[in-house]
Amino acid sequence: MAVTLYERLGGSDGIAKLVDDAVDAHLNNPLVQTRFANTKDIEHAKMMSREFFCAGAGGPESYTGRDMLTTHKGMNISEQEFIAVVDDILGAMDKNKVGDVEKKDVLAILYSLKGMIIRV
Ligand code: HEM
């Protein structure tokens, strides 16, 4: 049977680590840090991101947050900011020694969401 992306990323714990490292990178990335530093409840956003990532990778978790369009609507996020966030996530995967195949799978998922995030 095929192994899910969720399992290949180390399940719930592996994905929680990736989200923590990606958000830390956002907070240190001059291109996007103000976006996240101004977020009222960053712990909640992290929790939702974990659920989103787990559910999207084929895990048993349910996503209880807002859809991507509703979440990012009105933020006027640029292409450059989108790429910066994707780069931070790729960097978090490098840091955690995620394999190339998994990185490509995650990249394809992130890219597919751009129409719901950039300048909406
Ligand atoms: C690359 C794809 C992206 C994904 C998969 C994603 C996913 C998410 C998720 C799941 C949440 C939590 C939703 C909720 O609380 O209900 C969130 C919140 C947020 N996202 Fe994104 N996001 C992406 C890109 C971006 C970009 C490029 C920016 C800006 C540079 C951004 C800025 C934010 C901010 C500021 C919040 C917190 C909103 C709040 O709680 O008020 N996101 N995102």
Side-chain angles (χ1 to χ4, degrees):
M1 218 177 75
V3 179
T4 60
L5 179 58
Y6 175 81
E7 290 168 277
R8 289 185 281 132
L9 291 171
S12 173
D13 289 349
I15 290 174
K17 180 77 171 49
L18 291 176
V19 169
D20 284 348
D21 288 346
V23 172
D24 283 349
H26 298 338
L27 290 168
N28 285 297
N29 184 337
L31 293 169
V32 293
Q33 61 190 174
T34 52
R35 297 279 191 180
F36 295 91
N38 290 333
T39 297
K40 270 188 252 113
D41 191 349
I42 195 78
E43 283 309 316
H44 179 78
K46 272 168 125 170
M47 205 162 66
M48 291 302 108
S49 297
R50 281 184 211 128
E51 283 184 6
F52 184 82
F53 210 152
C54 286
E61 290 83 354
S62 305
Y63 177 56
T64 61
R66 297 164 294 163
D67 66 74
M68 289 301 95
L69 185 59
T70 308
T71 300
H72 301 95
K73 206 170 178 68
M75 287 192 199
N76 197 24
I77 292 170
S78 70
E79 289 80 357
Q80 187 187 37
E81 288 177 300
F82 182 82
I83 291 173
V85 160
V86 169
D87 278 341
D88 286 345
I89 298 168
L90 291 172
M93 289 194 285
D94 281 339
K95 190 176 164 200
N96 289 282
K97 308 219 178 336
V98 169
D100 280 347
V101 175
E102 287 71 26
K103 271 171 65 181
K104 283 180 194 158
D105 287 351
V106 171
L107 180 59
I109 294 170
L110 295 174
Y111 193 78
S112 77
L113 300 171
K114 74 181 167 72
M116 290 174 263
I117 294 171
I118 298 171
R119 301 188 196 285
V120 288

